[in-house]
Amino acid sequence: MTMADKAHQAFDVSVNVYGESKCFDDDGRLKRTGSVWTASAHIITAVIGSGVLSLAWATAQLGWVAGPTVLLLFSFVTYYTSALLSDCYRTGDPVSGKRNYTYMDAVRSNLGGFQVKICGVIQYVNLFGVAIGYTIASSISMVAVKRSDCFHKHGHHATCNVSSTPYMIMFGVIEIIFSQIPDFDQISWLSIVAAVMSFTYSTIGLGLGVAQVAETGKIEGSLTGISIGTEVTEMQKIWRSFQALGAIAFAYSYSLILIEIQDTLKSPPKEAKTMRKATLISVAVTTVFYMLCGCFGYAAFGDQSPGNLLTGFGFYNPYWLLDIANVAIVVHLVGAYQVYCQPLFAFVEKTAANWYPDSKIITKEIDVPIPGWKPFKLNLFRLVWRTIFVITTTVISMLMPFFNDVVGILGAFGFWPLTVYFPVEMYIVQKKIPKWSGRWICLQVLSGACLVISIAAAAGSFAGVVSDLQVYRPFKTPN
């Protein structure tokens, strides 16, 4: 039984004129306070992540025609399937039906059976992978700050090699501290800060790209992307194009935490309506940023577009602006790490509580006094398991520091099942859409096309990992 349930039993609850509780929602939990703006902040924090920095590289692989077209298609698919998924937050009546607190709960209510386990494995492995990807990305940005200062002092041709290991450890220590925030409801402030940081570094990257184009007076790139023969072989071109699809898929990926974000929203209005509005705002804003960053980055560097726009050192000056951008990336990733990991934390802790309901280690909370603030509730199990989780992701990040390939694999692995397949199948069940009807066929064609894209993206990203392993050095992020 949760603390909210106990409180609900222990106290009489005042009600308003409509017979609704002023303190508790219809499921007995404390009133949710989330709004379209907090939901938008969570989504933007999750979406405008480190993925935006690889979009110039992705556009370079695809060219001026396919690059922007693929970005727009992914934005449409993400918005459409997210709207379908938001309707699955409640089972039955969209206003008073049973709430599904997590993505897995929604799959269990609508599809059931073995699909629930498949969904759980894919979702939580993907969340684990995102934690690794964000640890790698943060260390790359911290290393970039150090190298930027080195280049400023010694010139652009200086070696300036810097080990990423201390910076990954530093990021891990910070995440151990923030991971003690109990649940999603209490990280809204962190999401808002992270969202502001994401706009900061995206705007800087965009501004530098625009300035580069203005300075040279030349738009780089070609209609078909990176040239075969001079830059890559025909087979490399194919693999890189597939990998670019994975990078773009990762840049739009947030469906795996959509239900958890929706569960923070107050009602009325109904949660699905608020979530659709938040999704529209967020996807529209991120698509504009993605188009600008990807296109101006490609226009500035053409075939030489770096895998990470702000750390690949296409730009060297002004060095202080690059430092600000990379610090903003790190701050953003601190928040994004928590946004993605909170559903995984909650799942493990809920499962442990169900398995061992009488265990004091799992259920007991200790009040830790904080001067000037209300006591912080420390749970021993939460402290130990979340610390082990962060340490594990940090160590794996040190062993596999392949940013672009990890991003591509994560995008490919999670995009089709979590962003397309499950939302489509749940929506068909929820709305009772007849099999072989026109709408059913259209939804299945959408799902099938996205499956093909995901398979291609996965193949390209794994090929990239194989290539990286040929020059692999453990515990060192490539400079």
Short mmCIF file of all heavy atoms in Angstrom, two decimals, residues 425-473:
data_model
loop_
_atom_site.label_atom_id
_atom_site.label_comp_id
_atom_site.label_asym_id
_atom_site.label_seq_id
_atom_site.Cartn_x
_atom_site.Cartn_y
_atom_site.Cartn_z
N GLU A 425 -1.47 -1.05 -31.93
CA GLU A 425 -2.26 -2.23 -31.55
C GLU A 425 -3.20 -1.92 -30.39
O GLU A 425 -4.35 -2.39 -30.37
CB GLU A 425 -1.30 -3.38 -31.16
CG GLU A 425 -0.50 -3.93 -32.32
CD GLU A 425 -1.38 -4.46 -33.45
OE1 GLU A 425 -2.36 -5.17 -33.16
OE2 GLU A 425 -1.09 -4.14 -34.62
N MET A 426 -2.74 -1.13 -29.41
CA MET A 426 -3.60 -0.77 -28.28
C MET A 426 -4.76 0.11 -28.74
O MET A 426 -5.90 -0.04 -28.28
CB MET A 426 -2.80 -0.07 -27.19
CG MET A 426 -1.89 -0.99 -26.41
SD MET A 426 -1.21 -0.21 -24.92
CE MET A 426 -0.03 0.94 -25.64
N TYR A 427 -4.48 1.02 -29.65
CA TYR A 427 -5.53 1.91 -30.16
C TYR A 427 -6.59 1.12 -30.92
O TYR A 427 -7.80 1.37 -30.78
CB TYR A 427 -4.90 2.96 -31.07
CG TYR A 427 -5.88 4.00 -31.58
CD1 TYR A 427 -6.32 5.03 -30.76
CD2 TYR A 427 -6.38 3.93 -32.90
CE1 TYR A 427 -7.22 5.98 -31.23
CE2 TYR A 427 -7.27 4.87 -33.37
CZ TYR A 427 -7.69 5.90 -32.54
OH TYR A 427 -8.58 6.83 -32.99
N ILE A 428 -6.17 0.13 -31.70
CA ILE A 428 -7.11 -0.73 -32.44
C ILE A 428 -8.05 -1.45 -31.47
O ILE A 428 -9.26 -1.52 -31.69
CB ILE A 428 -6.35 -1.73 -33.32
CG1 ILE A 428 -5.71 -1.01 -34.51
CG2 ILE A 428 -7.27 -2.85 -33.81
CD1 ILE A 428 -4.77 -1.88 -35.34
N VAL A 429 -7.46 -1.97 -30.38
CA VAL A 429 -8.27 -2.67 -29.37
C VAL A 429 -9.19 -1.70 -28.65
O VAL A 429 -10.39 -1.96 -28.45
CB VAL A 429 -7.35 -3.40 -28.37
CG1 VAL A 429 -8.17 -3.95 -27.20
CG2 VAL A 429 -6.61 -4.54 -29.07
N GLN A 430 -8.62 -0.55 -28.23
CA GLN A 430 -9.37 0.45 -27.46
C GLN A 430 -10.57 0.96 -28.23
O GLN A 430 -11.67 1.11 -27.69
CB GLN A 430 -8.43 1.61 -27.10
CG GLN A 430 -9.04 2.64 -26.16
CD GLN A 430 -8.61 2.44 -24.73
OE1 GLN A 430 -8.46 1.31 -24.30
NE2 GLN A 430 -8.41 3.51 -24.01
N LYS A 431 -10.38 1.24 -29.52
CA LYS A 431 -11.45 1.83 -30.34
C LYS A 431 -12.25 0.78 -31.11
O LYS A 431 -13.16 1.12 -31.87
CB LYS A 431 -10.85 2.83 -31.33
CG LYS A 431 -10.11 3.99 -30.68
CD LYS A 431 -11.01 4.80 -29.77
CE LYS A 431 -10.26 5.96 -29.14
NZ LYS A 431 -11.11 6.74 -28.22
N LYS A 432 -11.87 -0.51 -30.88
CA LYS A 432 -12.59 -1.62 -31.52
C LYS A 432 -12.66 -1.43 -33.05
O LYS A 432 -13.73 -1.55 -33.68
CB LYS A 432 -14.00 -1.77 -30.95
CG LYS A 432 -14.03 -2.10 -29.46
CD LYS A 432 -15.46 -2.24 -28.95
CE LYS A 432 -15.51 -2.73 -27.52
NZ LYS A 432 -14.86 -1.81 -26.57
N ILE A 433 -11.51 -1.16 -33.66
CA ILE A 433 -11.45 -0.97 -35.12
C ILE A 433 -11.53 -2.33 -35.80
O ILE A 433 -10.73 -3.23 -35.51
CB ILE A 433 -10.15 -0.24 -35.51
CG1 ILE A 433 -10.12 1.15 -34.87
CG2 ILE A 433 -10.01 -0.14 -37.01
CD1 ILE A 433 -8.83 1.89 -35.05
N PRO A 434 -12.47 -2.55 -36.71
CA PRO A 434 -12.65 -3.87 -37.34
C PRO A 434 -11.43 -4.26 -38.18
O PRO A 434 -10.82 -3.44 -38.86
CB PRO A 434 -13.87 -3.67 -38.25
CG PRO A 434 -14.56 -2.46 -37.74
CD PRO A 434 -13.49 -1.58 -37.16
N LYS A 435 -11.09 -5.55 -38.10
CA LYS A 435 -9.98 -6.07 -38.89
C LYS A 435 -10.31 -5.97 -40.38
O LYS A 435 -11.43 -6.23 -40.79
CB LYS A 435 -9.73 -7.53 -38.50
CG LYS A 435 -8.36 -8.05 -38.90
CD LYS A 435 -8.11 -9.41 -38.27
CE LYS A 435 -6.69 -9.88 -38.57
NZ LYS A 435 -6.41 -11.19 -37.95
N TRP A 436 -9.32 -5.59 -41.17
CA TRP A 436 -9.38 -5.43 -42.62
C TRP A 436 -10.23 -4.22 -43.05
O TRP A 436 -10.50 -4.05 -44.24
CB TRP A 436 -9.90 -6.69 -43.31
CG TRP A 436 -9.07 -7.89 -43.01
CD1 TRP A 436 -9.44 -9.00 -42.31
CD2 TRP A 436 -7.71 -8.09 -43.39
NE1 TRP A 436 -8.39 -9.89 -42.20
CE2 TRP A 436 -7.30 -9.34 -42.87
CE3 TRP A 436 -6.77 -7.33 -44.10
CZ2 TRP A 436 -6.03 -9.85 -43.05
CZ3 TRP A 436 -5.50 -7.84 -44.28
CH2 TRP A 436 -5.14 -9.09 -43.75
N SER A 437 -10.63 -3.39 -42.09
CA SER A 437 -11.27 -2.12 -42.47
C SER A 437 -10.20 -1.19 -43.02
O SER A 437 -9.00 -1.41 -42.85
CB SER A 437 -11.96 -1.48 -41.26
OG SER A 437 -10.99 -1.12 -40.28
N GLY A 438 -10.63 -0.11 -43.70
CA GLY A 438 -9.67 0.82 -44.28
C GLY A 438 -8.72 1.41 -43.25
O GLY A 438 -7.51 1.52 -43.49
N ARG A 439 -9.26 1.78 -42.09
CA ARG A 439 -8.42 2.38 -41.04
C ARG A 439 -7.43 1.36 -40.48
O ARG A 439 -6.28 1.68 -40.20
CB ARG A 439 -9.31 2.92 -39.93
CG ARG A 439 -8.59 3.86 -38.98
CD ARG A 439 -9.56 4.52 -38.04
NE ARG A 439 -8.89 5.56 -37.28
CZ ARG A 439 -9.46 6.23 -36.29
NH1 ARG A 439 -10.72 5.98 -35.96
NH2 ARG A 439 -8.80 7.15 -35.63
N TRP A 440 -7.91 0.12 -40.31
CA TRP A 440 -7.04 -0.94 -39.77
C TRP A 440 -5.88 -1.19 -40.74
O TRP A 440 -4.72 -1.31 -40.31
CB TRP A 440 -7.86 -2.22 -39.60
CG TRP A 440 -7.11 -3.36 -38.98
CD1 TRP A 440 -7.01 -3.66 -37.65
CD2 TRP A 440 -6.35 -4.36 -39.68
NE1 TRP A 440 -6.24 -4.78 -37.47
CE2 TRP A 440 -5.82 -5.24 -38.70
CE3 TRP A 440 -6.08 -4.61 -41.02
CZ2 TRP A 440 -5.03 -6.33 -39.03
CZ3 TRP A 440 -5.28 -5.70 -41.35
CH2 TRP A 440 -4.76 -6.55 -40.36
N ILE A 441 -6.17 -1.23 -42.04
CA ILE A 441 -5.12 -1.48 -43.04
C ILE A 441 -4.10 -0.34 -43.03
O ILE A 441 -2.88 -0.58 -43.07
CB ILE A 441 -5.74 -1.65 -44.44
CG1 ILE A 441 -6.54 -2.96 -44.51
CG2 ILE A 441 -4.67 -1.62 -45.52
CD1 ILE A 441 -7.35 -3.14 -45.78
N CYS A 442 -4.57 0.90 -42.96
CA CYS A 442 -3.66 2.05 -42.94
C CYS A 442 -2.73 2.00 -41.73
O CYS A 442 -1.52 2.27 -41.84
CB CYS A 442 -4.46 3.35 -42.94
SG CYS A 442 -5.28 3.72 -44.50
N LEU A 443 -3.28 1.66 -40.58
CA LEU A 443 -2.47 1.57 -39.36
C LEU A 443 -1.43 0.46 -39.47
O LEU A 443 -0.28 0.63 -39.04
CB LEU A 443 -3.37 1.34 -38.14
CG LEU A 443 -4.22 2.54 -37.69
CD1 LEU A 443 -5.25 2.11 -36.65
CD2 LEU A 443 -3.34 3.65 -37.13
N GLN A 444 -1.81 -0.66 -40.05
CA GLN A 444 -0.88 -1.77 -40.21
C GLN A 444 0.22 -1.45 -41.23
O GLN A 444 1.37 -1.85 -41.06
CB GLN A 444 -1.62 -3.05 -40.63
CG GLN A 444 -2.61 -3.57 -39.60
CD GLN A 444 -1.96 -3.94 -38.28
OE1 GLN A 444 -0.77 -4.23 -38.22
NE2 GLN A 444 -2.74 -3.90 -37.21
N VAL A 445 -0.14 -0.72 -42.29
CA VAL A 445 0.88 -0.30 -43.28
C VAL A 445 1.89 0.63 -42.62
O VAL A 445 3.10 0.51 -42.84
CB VAL A 445 0.20 0.39 -44.48
CG1 VAL A 445 1.24 1.09 -45.36
CG2 VAL A 445 -0.59 -0.62 -45.31
N LEU A 446 1.41 1.57 -41.79
CA LEU A 446 2.29 2.47 -41.05
C LEU A 446 3.24 1.68 -40.16
O LEU A 446 4.46 1.92 -40.14
CB LEU A 446 1.46 3.44 -40.20
CG LEU A 446 2.24 4.32 -39.21
CD1 LEU A 446 3.14 5.29 -39.94
CD2 LEU A 446 1.27 5.07 -38.29
N SER A 447 2.69 0.71 -39.43
CA SER A 447 3.50 -0.11 -38.53
C SER A 447 4.54 -0.92 -39.30
O SER A 447 5.71 -0.99 -38.91
CB SER A 447 2.58 -1.05 -37.73
OG SER A 447 3.33 -1.83 -36.81
N GLY A 448 4.13 -1.51 -40.43
CA GLY A 448 5.05 -2.32 -41.23
C GLY A 448 6.19 -1.49 -41.81
O GLY A 448 7.35 -1.92 -41.82
N ALA A 449 5.87 -0.30 -42.32
CA ALA A 449 6.90 0.58 -42.88
C ALA A 449 7.92 0.98 -41.81
O ALA A 449 9.13 1.00 -42.07
CB ALA A 449 6.24 1.82 -43.48
N CYS A 450 7.44 1.29 -40.63
CA CYS A 450 8.34 1.68 -39.54
C CYS A 450 9.20 0.51 -39.06
O CYS A 450 10.35 0.70 -38.63
CB CYS A 450 7.54 2.26 -38.37
SG CYS A 450 6.80 3.87 -38.75
N LEU A 451 8.66 -0.72 -39.16
CA LEU A 451 9.45 -1.90 -38.81
C LEU A 451 10.64 -2.04 -39.76
O LEU A 451 11.77 -2.31 -39.33
CB LEU A 451 8.58 -3.15 -38.88
CG LEU A 451 9.32 -4.50 -38.73
CD1 LEU A 451 10.03 -4.58 -37.39
CD2 LEU A 451 8.33 -5.66 -38.89
N VAL A 452 10.39 -1.85 -41.05
CA VAL A 452 11.47 -1.94 -42.04
C VAL A 452 12.55 -0.89 -41.75
O VAL A 452 13.75 -1.18 -41.80
CB VAL A 452 10.90 -1.75 -43.47
CG1 VAL A 452 12.03 -1.63 -44.49
CG2 VAL A 452 9.98 -2.90 -43.83
N ILE A 453 12.13 0.33 -41.42
CA ILE A 453 13.08 1.40 -41.10
C ILE A 453 13.90 1.04 -39.87
O ILE A 453 15.13 1.24 -39.84
CB ILE A 453 12.33 2.73 -40.87
CG1 ILE A 453 11.74 3.23 -42.20
CG2 ILE A 453 13.26 3.79 -40.27
CD1 ILE A 453 10.80 4.41 -42.06
N SER A 454 13.27 0.48 -38.86
CA SER A 454 13.98 0.11 -37.63
C SER A 454 15.02 -0.99 -37.88
O SER A 454 16.12 -0.93 -37.36
CB SER A 454 12.98 -0.38 -36.56
OG SER A 454 12.27 0.71 -36.02
N ILE A 455 14.65 -1.98 -38.70
CA ILE A 455 15.60 -3.07 -39.02
C ILE A 455 16.80 -2.50 -39.77
O ILE A 455 17.96 -2.84 -39.47
CB ILE A 455 14.89 -4.16 -39.85
CG1 ILE A 455 13.84 -4.88 -39.00
CG2 ILE A 455 15.91 -5.15 -40.41
CD1 ILE A 455 12.96 -5.84 -39.78
N ALA A 456 16.54 -1.62 -40.74
CA ALA A 456 17.63 -1.01 -41.49
C ALA A 456 18.54 -0.18 -40.59
O ALA A 456 19.77 -0.24 -40.67
CB ALA A 456 17.06 -0.13 -42.61
N ALA A 457 17.94 0.60 -39.69
CA ALA A 457 18.71 1.44 -38.77
C ALA A 457 19.56 0.59 -37.83
O ALA A 457 20.73 0.92 -37.55
CB ALA A 457 17.77 2.33 -37.97
N ALA A 458 19.00 -0.51 -37.35
CA ALA A 458 19.75 -1.39 -36.46
C ALA A 458 20.94 -2.00 -37.18
O ALA A 458 22.06 -2.06 -36.64
CB ALA A 458 18.84 -2.50 -35.92
N ALA A 459 20.73 -2.43 -38.42
CA ALA A 459 21.82 -3.02 -39.20
C ALA A 459 22.95 -2.02 -39.41
O ALA A 459 24.14 -2.34 -39.24
CB ALA A 459 21.28 -3.50 -40.56
N GLY A 460 22.61 -0.77 -39.74
CA GLY A 460 23.62 0.25 -39.95
C GLY A 460 24.39 0.57 -38.69
O GLY A 460 25.62 0.75 -38.71
N SER A 461 23.71 0.63 -37.56
CA SER A 461 24.36 0.97 -36.30
C SER A 461 25.27 -0.16 -35.83
O SER A 461 26.38 0.10 -35.31
CB SER A 461 23.30 1.28 -35.23
OG SER A 461 22.54 2.41 -35.63
N PHE A 462 24.85 -1.39 -35.98
CA PHE A 462 25.72 -2.51 -35.60
C PHE A 462 26.95 -2.57 -36.49
O PHE A 462 28.05 -2.91 -36.03
CB PHE A 462 24.93 -3.83 -35.66
CG PHE A 462 24.09 -4.09 -34.45
CD1 PHE A 462 22.71 -4.15 -34.54
CD2 PHE A 462 24.68 -4.27 -33.20
CE1 PHE A 462 21.93 -4.37 -33.42
CE2 PHE A 462 23.90 -4.50 -32.07
CZ PHE A 462 22.52 -4.54 -32.17
N ALA A 463 26.79 -2.23 -37.77
CA ALA A 463 27.94 -2.17 -38.66
C ALA A 463 28.91 -1.09 -38.18
O ALA A 463 30.14 -1.26 -38.25
CB ALA A 463 27.48 -1.86 -40.09
N GLY A 464 28.37 0.02 -37.66
CA GLY A 464 29.21 1.07 -37.11
C GLY A 464 29.98 0.62 -35.89
O GLY A 464 31.16 0.97 -35.71
N VAL A 465 29.33 -0.17 -35.02
CA VAL A 465 30.01 -0.71 -33.84
C VAL A 465 31.16 -1.63 -34.24
O VAL A 465 32.27 -1.56 -33.68
CB VAL A 465 29.02 -1.47 -32.92
CG1 VAL A 465 29.76 -2.25 -31.84
CG2 VAL A 465 28.04 -0.51 -32.29
N VAL A 466 30.92 -2.49 -35.23
CA VAL A 466 31.96 -3.39 -35.72
C VAL A 466 33.16 -2.58 -36.23
O VAL A 466 34.32 -2.90 -35.96
CB VAL A 466 31.42 -4.30 -36.85
CG1 VAL A 466 32.55 -5.07 -37.51
CG2 VAL A 466 30.37 -5.26 -36.29
N SER A 467 32.87 -1.49 -36.95
CA SER A 467 33.94 -0.63 -37.46
C SER A 467 34.70 0.04 -36.31
O SER A 467 35.93 0.11 -36.32
CB SER A 467 33.34 0.44 -38.38
OG SER A 467 34.33 1.33 -38.83
N ASP A 468 33.98 0.50 -35.29
CA ASP A 468 34.62 1.15 -34.14
C ASP A 468 35.50 0.18 -33.36
O ASP A 468 36.56 0.56 -32.85
CB ASP A 468 33.56 1.72 -33.19
CG ASP A 468 32.94 3.00 -33.74
OD1 ASP A 468 33.60 3.66 -34.57
OD2 ASP A 468 31.81 3.34 -33.34
N LEU A 469 35.05 -1.06 -33.25
CA LEU A 469 35.80 -2.05 -32.47
C LEU A 469 37.18 -2.34 -33.07
O LEU A 469 38.09 -2.80 -32.37
CB LEU A 469 34.99 -3.34 -32.35
CG LEU A 469 33.80 -3.30 -31.40
CD1 LEU A 469 32.97 -4.57 -31.51
CD2 LEU A 469 34.25 -3.09 -29.95
N GLN A 470 37.34 -2.05 -34.34
CA GLN A 470 38.63 -2.30 -34.99
C GLN A 470 39.72 -1.36 -34.47
O GLN A 470 40.91 -1.68 -34.55
CB GLN A 470 38.48 -2.16 -36.51
CG GLN A 470 37.60 -3.24 -37.12
CD GLN A 470 37.33 -3.01 -38.60
OE1 GLN A 470 37.81 -2.05 -39.19
NE2 GLN A 470 36.53 -3.89 -39.20
N VAL A 471 39.32 -0.19 -33.97
CA VAL A 471 40.30 0.76 -33.40
C VAL A 471 39.97 1.03 -31.93
O VAL A 471 40.29 2.07 -31.40
CB VAL A 471 40.30 2.08 -34.21
CG1 VAL A 471 40.85 1.85 -35.59
CG2 VAL A 471 38.89 2.67 -34.29
N TYR A 472 39.32 0.06 -31.29
CA TYR A 472 38.81 0.24 -29.93
C TYR A 472 39.91 0.26 -28.88
O TYR A 472 40.82 -0.57 -28.91
CB TYR A 472 37.81 -0.88 -29.63
CG TYR A 472 37.31 -0.93 -28.21
CD1 TYR A 472 36.69 0.16 -27.64
CD2 TYR A 472 37.46 -2.09 -27.44
CE1 TYR A 472 36.22 0.11 -26.35
CE2 TYR A 472 36.99 -2.16 -26.15
CZ TYR A 472 36.36 -1.04 -25.60
OH TYR A 472 35.89 -1.09 -24.32
N ARG A 473 39.82 1.23 -27.98
CA ARG A 473 40.70 1.28 -26.81
C ARG A 473 39.83 1.41 -25.57
O ARG A 473 39.10 2.40 -25.43
CB ARG A 473 41.64 2.50 -26.90
CG ARG A 473 42.68 2.37 -28.00
CD ARG A 473 43.47 3.64 -28.16
NE ARG A 473 44.19 3.95 -26.94
CZ ARG A 473 44.82 5.11 -26.73
NH1 ARG A 473 44.77 6.08 -27.65
NH2 ARG A 473 45.48 5.32 -25.61
#
